[in-house]
Amino acid sequence: MLHTKVINIKEKKLSILEAENFISSSQFGASIFFSGTVRNQNDNKSVVGITYDSHDALVIKSFEEIYNEADQKLNIKDKAVFIEHAKGYLNLGEISIIIAIACKHRDEAYALSRYVIEEIKKRSPIWKKEHYTNNESEWLKGNPIVHEKN
């Protein structure tokens, strides 16, 4: 069971309650909620906000691939996964990503949650531009969409 979405922050905020409602089931004994928020420091710079941009169709495709790969790599067949990522400008403390995981057992839930966030950070075409207290801003270096073989 999978839910994925890129949320335009001008239209709607990400919701832990929606995530909880999606993964809630008596067939699962463990639930993990991960939320990423905008923090006030990065690389010794004072951050006041972040703008997220993405290639939405490819982001959704990457979320689906990560979910499907979990079957082979982690051998977790029975699971519910909710992934939403924000698009647009976020202030300090606002939620940029919610990942909610439900599995039969806690070991599975922890492993799957960690796998999902790490793979999203590596593979999903989501870019962020940090805004600083000195009115400057910069796009942060990300990971390439296509990995070249050496």
Side-chain angles (χ1 to χ4, degrees):
M1 193 164 71
L2 175 66
H3 166 87
T4 62
K5 194 178 262 187
V6 175
I7 301 292
N8 182 337
I9 209 69
K10 289 180 182 175
E11 299 169 6
K12 183 182 173 216
K13 300 283 185 192
L14 278 70
S15 167
I16 296 281
L17 184 58
E18 285 181 27
E20 184 176 25
N21 289 337
F22 181 81
I23 67 167
S24 181
S25 171
S26 61
Q27 77 181 28
F28 301 123
S31 300
I32 301 284
F33 295 88
F34 173 86
S35 65
T37 57
V38 178
R39 67 179 181 273
N40 66 353
Q41 289 281 319
N42 188 37
D43 289 333
N44 296 317
K45 295 179 184 176
S46 295
V47 176
V48 296
I50 295 179
T51 299
Y52 287 91
D53 198 5
S54 61
H55 187 298
D56 297 358
L58 289 179
V59 168
I60 298 302
K61 182 180 179 194
S62 73
F63 292 171
E64 291 168 351
E65 288 173 351
I66 292 164
Y67 172 85
N68 291 327
E69 286 171 6
D71 285 347
Q72 292 82 35
K73 293 189 178 187
L74 302 175
N75 197 28
I76 302 171
K77 303 294 183 201
D78 296 322
K79 59 190 174 294
V81 177
F82 177 102
I83 309 169
E84 288 190 351
H85 200 291
K87 183 174 185 172
Y89 181 84
L90 297 174
N91 291 303
L92 295 179
E94 288 190 296
I95 297 172
S96 59
I97 187 170
I98 294 175
I99 300 170
I101 306 285
C103 297
K104 288 186 177 184
H105 305 286
R106 69 180 175 275
D107 289 346
E108 294 173 332
Y110 277 115
L112 182 56
S113 177
R114 185 61 184 246
Y115 179 79
V116 169
I117 188 60
E118 295 302 333
E119 290 302 310
I120 287 171
K121 295 289 281 181
K122 282 191 242 175
R123 298 164 40 179
S124 297
I126 300 168
W127 302 278
K128 60 184 178 179
K129 182 179 191 178
E130 287 184 338
H131 304 277
Y132 307 110
T133 54
N134 62 4
N135 290 325
E136 292 181 6
S137 60
E138 71 177 314
W139 289 100
L140 300 184
K141 184 178 184 297
N143 293 312
I145 294 175
V146 177
H147 298 283
E148 294 182 25
K149 295 184 180 191
N150 294 333

Coordinates of all heavy atoms in Angstrom, one line a residue, residues 79-119:
K79 N 3.3 -3.9 4.0 CA 3.7 -2.6 4.5 C 2.8 -1.5 4.0 O 2.1 -1.7 2.9 CB 5.1 -2.3 4.0 CG 5.3 -2.3 2.5 CD 6.8 -2.2 2.2 CE 7.1 -2.4 0.7 NZ 6.7 -3.7 0.2
A80 N 2.7 -0.5 4.7 CA 2.0 0.7 4.2 C 3.0 1.9 4.2 O 3.7 2.0 5.2 CB 0.8 1.1 5.1
V81 N 3.1 2.6 3.1 CA 4.1 3.7 3.0 C 3.4 4.9 2.5 O 2.8 4.9 1.5 CB 5.3 3.3 2.1 CG1 6.3 4.4 2.0 CG2 6.0 2.0 2.6
F82 N 3.6 6.0 3.3 CA 3.1 7.3 2.9 C 4.3 8.3 2.7 O 5.1 8.4 3.7 CB 2.2 7.8 4.0 CG 1.6 9.2 3.9 CD1 0.3 9.4 3.4 CD2 2.3 10.3 4.1 CE1 -0.3 10.6 3.3 CE2 1.8 11.6 4.0 CZ 0.5 11.8 3.6
I83 N 4.4 8.9 1.5 CA 5.5 9.8 1.3 C 4.9 11.1 0.6 O 4.3 11.0 -0.4 CB 6.6 9.2 0.4 CG1 7.1 7.9 0.8 CG2 7.7 10.2 0.2 CD1 7.9 7.2 -0.2
E84 N 5.1 12.2 1.3 CA 4.8 13.5 0.7 C 6.0 14.4 0.9 O 6.6 14.5 1.9 CB 3.5 14.1 1.3 CG 2.3 13.4 0.9 CD 1.0 14.1 1.3 OE1 1.0 15.1 2.0 OE2 -0.1 13.6 0.8
H85 N 6.3 15.2 -0.2 CA 7.3 16.2 -0.1 C 6.8 17.5 -0.6 O 6.0 17.6 -1.5 CB 8.5 15.8 -1.1 CG 9.8 16.5 -0.7 ND1 10.0 17.8 -0.9 CD2 10.9 16.0 -0.1 CE1 11.2 18.1 -0.4 NE2 11.8 17.0 0.0
A86 N 7.2 18.6 0.1 CA 6.8 19.9 -0.2 C 7.5 20.5 -1.4 O 8.6 20.2 -1.7 CB 7.0 20.8 1.0
K87 N 6.8 21.4 -2.1 CA 7.4 22.2 -3.2 C 7.0 23.6 -3.0 O 5.8 23.9 -2.7 CB 6.8 21.7 -4.5 CG 7.4 22.3 -5.7 CD 6.8 21.7 -7.0 CE 7.5 22.2 -8.2 NZ 7.1 21.5 -9.4
G88 N 8.0 24.5 -3.0 CA 7.8 25.9 -2.7 C 8.6 26.4 -1.6 O 9.5 25.7 -1.1
Y89 N 8.3 27.6 -1.1 CA 9.1 28.2 0.0 C 8.6 27.8 1.4 O 7.3 27.9 1.6 CB 9.0 29.7 -0.1 CG 9.8 30.4 1.0 CD1 11.2 30.6 0.8 CD2 9.2 30.8 2.2 CE1 11.9 31.2 1.8 CE2 10.0 31.4 3.2 CZ 11.3 31.6 3.0 OH 12.1 32.2 4.0
L90 N 9.5 27.3 2.2 CA 9.2 27.0 3.6 C 10.0 27.8 4.6 O 11.2 28.1 4.4 CB 9.5 25.5 3.8 CG 8.7 24.5 3.0 CD1 9.3 23.1 3.3 CD2 7.3 24.5 3.4
N91 N 9.3 28.2 5.7 CA 10.0 28.9 6.7 C 10.6 28.0 7.7 O 10.4 26.8 7.6 CB 8.9 29.8 7.5 CG 8.4 30.9 6.7 OD1 9.2 31.8 6.2 ND2 7.1 31.0 6.5
L92 N 11.4 28.5 8.6 CA 12.0 27.7 9.7 C 11.0 26.9 10.4 O 9.9 27.4 10.7 CB 12.8 28.6 10.7 CG 14.0 29.3 10.2 CD1 14.6 30.2 11.3 CD2 15.0 28.4 9.6
G93 N 11.3 25.6 10.6 CA 10.4 24.7 11.4 C 9.3 24.1 10.6 O 8.6 23.2 11.1
E94 N 9.1 24.5 9.4 CA 8.0 23.9 8.6 C 8.5 22.6 8.0 O 9.6 22.3 7.8 CB 7.6 24.9 7.4 CG 6.8 26.1 7.9 CD 6.2 26.9 6.8 OE1 6.9 27.4 6.0 OE2 4.9 26.9 6.7
I95 N 7.5 21.7 7.8 CA 7.8 20.3 7.4 C 8.0 20.3 5.9 O 7.1 20.7 5.1 CB 6.6 19.4 7.8 CG1 6.5 19.3 9.3 CG2 6.8 18.0 7.2 CD1 5.3 18.6 9.8
S96 N 9.1 19.7 5.4 CA 9.4 19.6 4.0 C 9.1 18.2 3.5 O 8.8 18.0 2.3 CB 10.9 19.9 3.8 OG 11.7 19.0 4.5
I97 N 9.1 17.2 4.4 CA 8.9 15.8 3.9 C 8.2 15.0 5.1 O 8.6 15.2 6.3 CB 10.1 15.1 3.4 CG1 9.8 13.7 2.8 CG2 11.2 14.9 4.5 CD1 10.9 13.0 2.1
I98 N 7.3 14.2 4.8 CA 6.7 13.2 5.7 C 6.8 11.9 5.1 O 6.4 11.6 4.0 CB 5.2 13.5 6.0 CG1 5.1 14.9 6.8 CG2 4.6 12.4 6.9 CD1 3.6 15.3 7.0
I99 N 7.4 11.0 5.9 CA 7.4 9.5 5.5 C 6.8 8.8 6.7 O 7.3 8.9 7.8 CB 8.9 9.0 5.3 CG1 9.5 9.8 4.2 CG2 8.9 7.5 5.0 CD1 11.0 9.6 4.0
A100 N 5.7 8.1 6.4 CA 5.1 7.3 7.5 C 5.1 5.8 7.0 O 4.8 5.5 5.8 CB 3.6 7.7 7.7
I101 N 5.5 4.9 7.9 CA 5.7 3.5 7.5 C 5.0 2.7 8.5 O 5.0 2.9 9.7 CB 7.2 3.1 7.6 CG1 8.1 4.0 6.8 CG2 7.4 1.7 7.4 CD1 8.1 3.8 5.3
A102 N 4.3 1.7 8.1 CA 3.7 0.7 9.0 C 4.0 -0.7 8.5 O 4.0 -1.0 7.3 CB 2.1 0.8 9.0
C103 N 4.5 -1.5 9.4 CA 4.8 -2.9 9.1 C 4.3 -3.8 10.2 O 3.9 -3.3 11.3 CB 6.4 -3.1 9.0 SG 7.1 -2.1 7.7
K104 N 4.5 -5.1 10.0 CA 4.1 -6.0 11.1 C 4.9 -5.9 12.3 O 4.4 -6.0 13.5 CB 4.1 -7.5 10.6 CG 3.0 -7.8 9.6 CD 2.9 -9.2 9.3 CE 1.7 -9.5 8.3 NZ 1.5 -10.9 8.0
H105 N 6.2 -5.7 12.1 CA 7.2 -5.7 13.3 C 8.0 -4.4 13.3 O 8.3 -3.8 12.2 CB 8.1 -6.9 13.2 CG 7.3 -8.2 13.2 ND1 6.6 -8.7 14.2 CD2 7.0 -9.0 12.1 CE1 6.0 -9.8 13.9 NE2 6.2 -10.0 12.6
R106 N 8.5 -4.0 14.4 CA 9.3 -2.8 14.6 C 10.6 -2.8 13.8 O 11.0 -1.8 13.2 CB 9.5 -2.4 16.0 CG 10.4 -3.3 16.8 CD 10.6 -2.8 18.2 NE 11.4 -3.8 19.0 CZ 11.0 -4.9 19.5 NH1 9.7 -5.2 19.5 NH2 11.8 -5.7 20.2
D107 N 11.3 -3.9 13.8 CA 12.6 -4.0 13.0 C 12.3 -3.7 11.6 O 13.2 -3.0 11.0 CB 13.2 -5.4 13.2 CG 13.7 -5.7 14.6 OD1 13.9 -4.7 15.4 OD2 14.0 -6.9 14.9
E108 N 11.3 -4.2 11.0 CA 10.9 -3.9 9.6 C 10.6 -2.5 9.4 O 11.1 -1.8 8.4 CB 9.7 -4.8 9.2 CG 9.9 -6.2 9.1 CD 8.6 -7.0 8.9 OE1 7.5 -6.5 9.2 OE2 8.7 -8.1 8.3
A109 N 9.8 -1.9 10.3 CA 9.5 -0.5 10.2 C 10.7 0.4 10.2 O 10.8 1.4 9.4 CB 8.4 -0.1 11.2
Y110 N 11.6 0.2 11.2 CA 12.8 1.0 11.3 C 13.6 0.9 10.1 O 14.1 1.9 9.5 CB 13.6 0.6 12.5 CG 13.1 1.3 13.8 CD1 12.6 0.5 14.8 CD2 13.2 2.6 14.0 CE1 12.2 1.1 16.0 CE2 12.8 3.2 15.2 CZ 12.3 2.5 16.2 OH 11.9 3.1 17.3
A111 N 13.9 -0.3 9.6 CA 14.7 -0.6 8.4 C 14.1 0.1 7.2 O 14.8 0.7 6.4 CB 14.9 -2.1 8.2
L112 N 12.8 -0.1 7.0 CA 12.2 0.5 5.8 C 12.2 2.0 5.8 O 12.4 2.7 4.8 CB 10.7 -0.1 5.7 CG 10.0 0.4 4.5 CD1 10.7 0.1 3.2 CD2 8.6 -0.2 4.5
S113 N 11.9 2.6 7.0 CA 11.9 4.0 7.1 C 13.3 4.6 6.7 O 13.4 5.6 6.0 CB 11.5 4.5 8.5 OG 11.6 5.9 8.7
R114 N 14.3 4.0 7.3 CA 15.7 4.5 7.0 C 16.0 4.3 5.5 O 16.6 5.2 4.9 CB 16.7 3.7 7.9 CG 18.1 4.2 7.8 CD 18.2 5.7 8.2 NE 19.5 6.2 8.0 CZ 20.3 6.6 9.0 NH1 19.9 6.5 10.2 NH2 21.4 7.1 8.7
Y115 N 15.6 3.2 5.0 CA 15.9 2.9 3.5 C 15.2 3.9 2.7 O 15.8 4.5 1.8 CB 15.4 1.5 3.2 CG 15.6 1.1 1.7 CD1 16.8 0.7 1.3 CD2 14.5 1.2 0.8 CE1 17.0 0.4 -0.1 CE2 14.7 0.9 -0.5 CZ 16.0 0.5 -1.0 OH 16.2 0.2 -2.3
V116 N 13.9 4.2 2.9 CA 13.2 5.2 2.1 C 13.8 6.6 2.1 O 14.0 7.2 1.1 CB 11.7 5.2 2.6 CG1 10.9 6.4 1.9 CG2 11.0 3.9 2.2
I117 N 14.1 7.1 3.3 CA 14.6 8.5 3.4 C 16.0 8.5 2.7 O 16.3 9.5 2.0 CB 14.7 9.1 4.8 CG1 15.1 10.6 4.7 CG2 15.6 8.3 5.7 CD1 14.2 11.5 3.9
E118 N 16.9 7.6 3.0 CA 18.2 7.6 2.4 C 18.1 7.5 0.8 O 18.9 8.2 0.1 CB 19.1 6.5 2.9 CG 19.4 6.6 4.4 CD 20.0 7.9 4.8 OE1 20.8 8.5 4.0 OE2 19.8 8.3 6.0
E119 N 17.3 6.7 0.3 CA 17.1 6.5 -1.1 C 16.5 7.8 -1.8 O 16.9 8.2 -2.8 CB 16.3 5.3 -1.5 CG 17.1 4.0 -1.2 CD 18.4 3.9 -1.9 OE1 18.4 4.1 -3.2 OE2 19.4 3.5 -1.3

